[in-house]
Amino acid sequence: MKKKNFTRRNFIATVSAGSVAAVGSNAISAFAGITVSPKANGKLAILGGNPVRKNKPWPEWPYVDEKMVEAVSKTTRSRIWCRIQSENGTVPTFEKEFAKMMDAKFSLGTGSGTQALSTCVEALGFGPGDEIITSPLTDPGTLSSILTSRVLPVLADIDRESFQIDPDDVERRINENTKAIMPVQIGGQPCNMDRIMAIAKKHNLKVIEDAAQAHLAVYKGKKLGTIGDLGCFSFQASKTIACGEGGAVIGNDEELMDKCFTVQNHGTNRKGRTVVIGPKYRMNEFEAAILLSQFAGVKERFETRNRNAMYLNSKLKGFPGLVPQKFYEGTESGSFYLYMTTYLKEHFNNTPRDKFLKALEAEGVSLSPYLPKGLHKEPWTDHILSLREYQKMYSPARLKSYREELSCPNCDRVIDDIAMIWASGPLLGSTEDMDDIINAIMKLHENRDQLNQI
Ligand SMILES: Cc1ncc(COP(=O)(O)O)c(C=O)c1O
């Protein structure tokens, strides 16, 4: 199949006009008035019927090729395994190449996305008594990076349709101790960054972008990670650029990026002087070798995921049972680490989400929940509020209001209703693969009366 280049124009066209990408496919679309595929009728696979998809593997993830295997062998044989052994080793080379790819002046490799975020919190000088506002719908690593510096993480609620942090709630939660906002670009798609940057400017706050999931995504002409003061990425095995565990900070301010280097290098600067408190978070040469060796195909894979995501969106356009993640104006592309939708059970015979997902799995298509709970509901809050150090650092009045203001009702709803694809591998599939996803969903919808027999 000849692949068209992915451009801002065709992203917006497919998001808004939907049907463009649908032409010529075999997927059913009961809601576009197109004939329902014969596959859609009949007994559900979970009840013994024929599955929509059988014995067809999804594209595997993480990505592996011979060049990557070679790169690891070469690094092994070179005996240069640690970044301090060579100024021209794979880590410094990765940093130059990643900065270039992300349109940033500088990049710094770390051992994980959590470490990248933690490096930024330390380098910006935040510590006990300070507060950073972030989202409850994120990986625990976001939270960990704030707690490690004994900063108080304040969780703002999210928007129910975009799943992104709600700028109005961010602004409501700012107080005299607030030092930064850490917006999470969830799924790999952009937050409302214009609003977040305006709020940060108004209140004199720093912005550390948690772009751990958002490699190469673009908002209003800028790559995610380059909009705030610093941006952080994860290369954990499931991510769209992966090396097992790994991370990076990007930024344009040389002095600040030097501080980041010093922090992650156990407090020791580029001149070898040990000057500040810092952990050892250095990326190793094997991680950088795996990353560098996959860079050649990264853009093409990114474009394929975007094209497939827009195709799925076009097929679900107007379908009330599964509503794709809302994009903010100015979204030019996403990373599509996650392809996220909201499941509305009333359109599936009031079937609870978990039963719906099981029935879908039996048809050969995997959608899943994201987190079991929003992070505001995890027990760490009791832990820190009972710690002597937090009781010393924050006033009793602040800890009381903190506990009282922990609720994030939109996040609770989203947690219960999300149905999403871990998309790094699956969204590299063919149009036929995407049709299988849609056909399985539509089969369940057409035969929703059977769902209460599960
Ligand atoms: C949004 C987000 N933030 C932070 C992290 C932490 O990254 P890592 O797992 O590389 O430490 C992740 C990883 O899943 C993430 O998805």
Side-chain angles (χ1 to χ4, degrees):
M1 187 176 77
K2 193 165 184 304
K3 286 175 180 159
K4 270 195 294 184
N5 268 348
F6 185 77
T7 65
R8 176 168 182 248
R9 254 184 74 214
N10 68 35
F11 182 88
I12 289 167
T14 44
V15 169
S16 53
S19 56
V20 177
V23 175
S25 90
N26 294 318
I28 58 166
S29 179
F31 291 85
I34 297 169
T35 323
V36 172
S37 149
K39 278 185 191 167
N41 295 315
K43 206 168 180 183
L44 298 186
I46 199 165
L47 299 174
N50 282 332
V52 167
R53 184 181 172 95
K54 203 157 75 179
N55 302 328
K56 267 163 71 186
W58 292 95
E60 284 185 298
W61 200 259
Y63 176 80
V64 178
D65 66 16
E66 280 312 304
K67 253 172 55 190
M68 196 180 261
V69 175
E70 261 302 298
V72 174
S73 297
K74 197 171 153 204
T75 301
T76 309
R77 283 192 223 101
S78 76
R79 293 197 162 81
I80 294 176
W81 295 353
C82 159
R83 73 167 297 156
I84 62 165
Q85 287 178 267
S86 166
E87 281 185 8
N88 304 313
T90 60
V91 175
T93 310
F94 155 78
E95 287 170 344
K96 283 192 199 100
E97 293 300 314
F98 189 61
K100 227 191 277 170
M101 184 191 289
M102 300 307 298
D103 304 331
K105 283 195 186 145
F106 308 99
S107 132
L108 172 73
T110 59
S112 69
T114 306
Q115 293 177 12
L117 290 163
S118 177
T119 296
C120 296
V121 172
E122 276 295 312
L124 285 163
F126 304 139
D130 295 336
E131 302 187 13
I132 294 180
I133 302 178
T134 192
S135 166
L137 190 77
T138 183
D139 181 84
T142 310
L143 197 68
S144 157
S145 73
I146 300 171
L147 289 171
T148 302
S149 292
R150 302 302 191 264
V151 172
L152 192 64
V154 173
L155 302 178
D157 207 353
I158 57 173
D159 178 276
R160 273 187 49 195
E161 294 172 31
S162 68
F163 317 131
Q164 308 283 6
I165 196 166
D166 170 8
D168 290 333
D169 204 39
V170 168
E171 194 153 27
R172 266 195 294 277
R173 290 173 191 259
I174 292 172
N175 64 35
E176 68 280 8
N177 297 323
T178 308
K179 293 293 186 303
I181 307 171
M182 191 181 277
V184 177
Q185 318 283 7
I186 200 72
Q189 285 64 257
C191 297
N192 187 343
M193 287 306 293
D194 269 2
R195 285 284 320 280
I196 286 164
M197 294 309 290
I199 291 167
K201 192 168 173 204
K202 181 171 154 198
H203 297 274
N204 196 23
L205 306 175
K206 297 290 182 192
V207 174
I208 304 168
E209 279 182 72
D210 182 342
Q213 305 182 351
H215 315 78
L216 293 173
V218 178
Y219 173 83
K220 297 199 172 178
K222 288 187 174 169
K223 296 246 168 73
L224 294 186
T226 65
I227 301 169
D229 295 275
L230 292 166
C232 294
F233 294 86
S234 165
F235 304 117
Q236 178 267 341
S238 65
K239 299 299 186 300
T240 57
I241 303 177
C243 68
E245 302 282 2
V249 181
I250 60 171
N252 292 323
D253 177 336
E254 188 165 12
E255 199 180 325
L256 181 55
M257 286 300 287
D258 270 343
K259 277 190 191 157
C260 288
F261 177 88
T262 303
V263 165
Q264 62 84 50
N265 191 37
H266 45 49
T268 303
N269 66 19
R270 291 188 192 272
K271 292 184 182 142
R273 307 304 307 271
T274 302
V275 286
V276 295
I277 299 171
K280 190 176 167 201
Y281 283 162
R282 294 195 302 236
M283 175 179 275
N284 72 50
E285 293 281 299
F286 294 96
E287 290 165 330
I290 292 184
L291 291 168
L292 272 172
S293 64
Q294 69 192 271
F295 275 9
V298 158
K299 189 152 179 280
E300 191 186 336
R301 289 190 283 276
F302 161 83
E303 289 181 352
T304 303
R305 284 189 203 94
N306 272 272
R307 209 168 27 247
N308 278 332
M310 290 313 98
Y311 181 78
L312 292 175
N313 279 7
S314 74
K315 295 308 240 171
L316 290 173
K317 194 173 161 64
F319 176 61
L322 222 49
V323 180
Q325 179 180 19
K326 180 183 100 181
F327 303 132
Y328 289 104
E329 192 209 324
T331 298
E332 294 180 21
S333 57
S335 172
F336 292 102
Y337 167 64
L338 310 175
Y339 177 81
M340 307 175 93
T341 72
T342 300
Y343 171 69
L344 292 154
K345 68 176 179 195
E346 54 274 33
H347 298 284
F348 286 93
N349 208 16
N350 282 323
T351 307
R353 178 190 57 180
D354 293 350
K355 269 193 185 177
F356 165 80
L357 296 178
K358 254 196 197 162
L360 202 58
E361 180 82 44
E363 300 295 342
V365 168
S366 264
L367 265 67
S368 21
Y370 181 42
L371 301 171
K373 282 184 166 71
L375 291 183
H376 61 297
K377 290 246 168 113
E378 292 289 345
W380 62 273
T381 49
D382 287 337
H383 173 69
I384 65 161
L385 294 178
S386 69
L387 281 180
R388 207 162 37 92
E389 58 194 287
Y390 271 82
Q391 286 165 6
K392 272 190 185 168
M393 294 178 317
Y394 300 87
S395 69
R398 178 60 186 124
L399 294 184
K400 183 168 179 285
S401 65
Y402 184 75
R403 190 184 280 285
E404 285 166 359
E405 291 160 12
L406 268 173
S407 88
C408 292
N410 286 347
C411 181
D412 296 339
R413 277 296 297 271
V414 164
I415 289 282
D416 288 345
D417 297 340
I418 274 185
M420 48 145 257
I421 301 171
W422 294 99
S424 296
L427 253 61
L428 295 179
S430 62
T431 306
E432 202 181 307
D433 290 327
M434 300 305 111
D435 285 346
D436 283 346
I437 295 171
I438 298 297
N439 283 334
I441 293 165
M442 294 306 166
K443 178 177 172 188
L444 262 51
H445 183 258
E446 290 294 313
N447 300 286
R448 57 192 176 278
D449 55 321
Q450 294 177 34
L451 287 167
N452 60 12
Q453 297 170 39
I454 301 171

